[in-house]
Amino acid sequence: MTTDWNPLLRTEFDKPYWAELQRFVADERASRTVYPPHEEVFAALHLTSYADTRVMILGQDPYHGPGQAHGLCFSVRHGVRTPPSLANIHKELHTDVGVAIPDHGNLEAWATQGVLLLNATLTVRAGQAGSHQKHGWETFTDEVIRTVSDKPDHVVFVLWGGYARRKKSLIDESRHTIIESPHPSPLSAHNGFFGSRPFSRTNEALVAHGQTPIDWGL
């Protein structure tokens, strides 16, 4: 990673789990289709620098359909049909802050403003959700979460769903804001995600700490 994350995370690359993880992913790519493409695995860290990170939205797993995953949680490439969870995010975005529901699902506009869109697992086998979990990615991304929590500047952590909410123990709640709710999945969105106002609440927390709010427009 040729970004300011590199010196902060470099020690992870020397740990035994990292070599094992990279062997696992390389073996998977040699015999199966794996998403996202190799060059986009760390897209979240390339698009959002450590210095610029003001908000962190945590996902669980990359999308496992053709052409969907491109290294940012919940986001898909332009021209790819919007997945159901992202469609619900769009609905809440419109209700919360009045952003028109876009005709695409690409969230890079958020990433370039300091919204770190990180999945806990950074690769997945095509068509098999969760297939690369518990092979080491979580160890790495937990360290990313700790590193963001150690920032001297205030950060808003947005945790959607039970998996993301279990990461609260990695975050210093005395210095940062945590906004949590059920997941935007169609299975749970009506149980508290809709109406949770994560976007306006994030901006309120940023402004309260003297930080620039996010332009959530897509």
Side-chain angles (χ1 to χ4, degrees), residues 26 51 61 78 113 150 154 208:
D61 216 36
H78 285 280
Q113 294 182 73
D150 288 342
H154 166 261

Side-chain angles (χ1 to χ4, degrees), residues 6-27:
N6 190 286
L8 300 168
L9 300 171
R10 186 178 296 153
T11 57
E12 297 301 297
F13 309 146
D14 297 325
K15 295 178 180 178
Y17 88 85
W18 184 259
E20 294 171 9
L21 169 62
Q22 298 311 306
R23 280 195 296 270
F24 167 75
V25 174
D27 289 346

